[in-house]
Amino acid sequence: MGLIRVGLFEGFKGEDTLLIDVDYDGLHGLIAWLRQVTSSAHEVGLSVCPDVNVQMGLEVNVLCVAHDAGLLKISERNFVWQRSEEGWMEIIDKLEAMRVGACHQYLDGPRDDVQVVASIGEYGNRWWSRAATG
């Protein structure tokens, strides 16, 4: 059983950021889930990914599209992550590179409204508890 935490943070690393924080098992699960859902033409909520814990009130849907876009803001805490097949493969490649240990990757898209950062081994329970209340 893995751990995948997803949160939206203002001014994180200089910008508003969607942070995807994983442990080793969560990383493997997220990669497998993205491979599966991005091969479909249907929009799927990130919250249905096994082991994911999405910050309360935050909604992120993923979708594979013909023209690569990025993380697009629909409303204050509602996003659609639209990437092309090539864009999703780039994200999966960056996630796979994180298997080496504690690190992070910027999962940039061409038109992100909010930056996307994936992290492993950098932010523990204590940080998430403070960030959620701060």
Side-chain angles (χ1 to χ4, degrees):
M1 182 174 203
L3 174 68
I4 305 167
R5 293 183 276 216
V6 180
L8 180 65
F9 300 97
E10 293 181 13
F12 180 81
K13 296 198 178 280
E15 292 184 42
D16 292 348
T17 300
L18 181 76
L19 177 62
I20 303 170
D21 184 39
V22 298
D23 66 8
Y24 189 76
D25 290 334
L27 177 62
H28 289 280
L30 180 60
I31 290 168
W33 184 80
L34 283 173
R35 285 186 192 282
Q36 180 183 9
V37 300
T38 59
S39 65
S40 151
H42 297 76
E43 190 171 307
V44 179
L46 188 55
S47 61
V48 302
C49 175
D51 302 324
V52 78
N53 181 359
V54 177
Q55 201 176 48
M56 186 181 296
L58 178 62
E59 184 176 339
V60 179
N61 293 314
V62 300
L63 181 62
C64 190
V65 294
H67 301 287
D68 206 15
L71 184 67
L72 307 177
K73 191 174 194 175
I74 305 302
S75 64
E76 192 61 30
R77 294 184 56 82
N78 185 349
F79 296 85
V80 62
W81 201 2
Q82 296 182 348
R83 300 300 307 262
S84 65
E85 185 176 341
E86 296 81 20
W88 285 118
M89 288 309 303
E90 179 183 312
I91 286 173
I92 289 167
D93 288 345
K94 287 181 176 182
L95 292 172
E96 287 179 338
M98 292 172 58
R99 293 178 182 186
V100 297
C103 65
H104 61 271
Q105 289 277 4
Y106 291 87
L107 306 179
D108 301 330
R111 302 183 338 208
D112 293 321
D113 291 331
V114 172
Q115 78 176 345
V116 182
V117 176
S119 172
I120 185 168
E122 295 181 306
Y123 306 99
N125 292 333
R126 191 177 194 171
W127 183 91
W128 277 89
S129 295
R130 281 195 319 264
T133 59

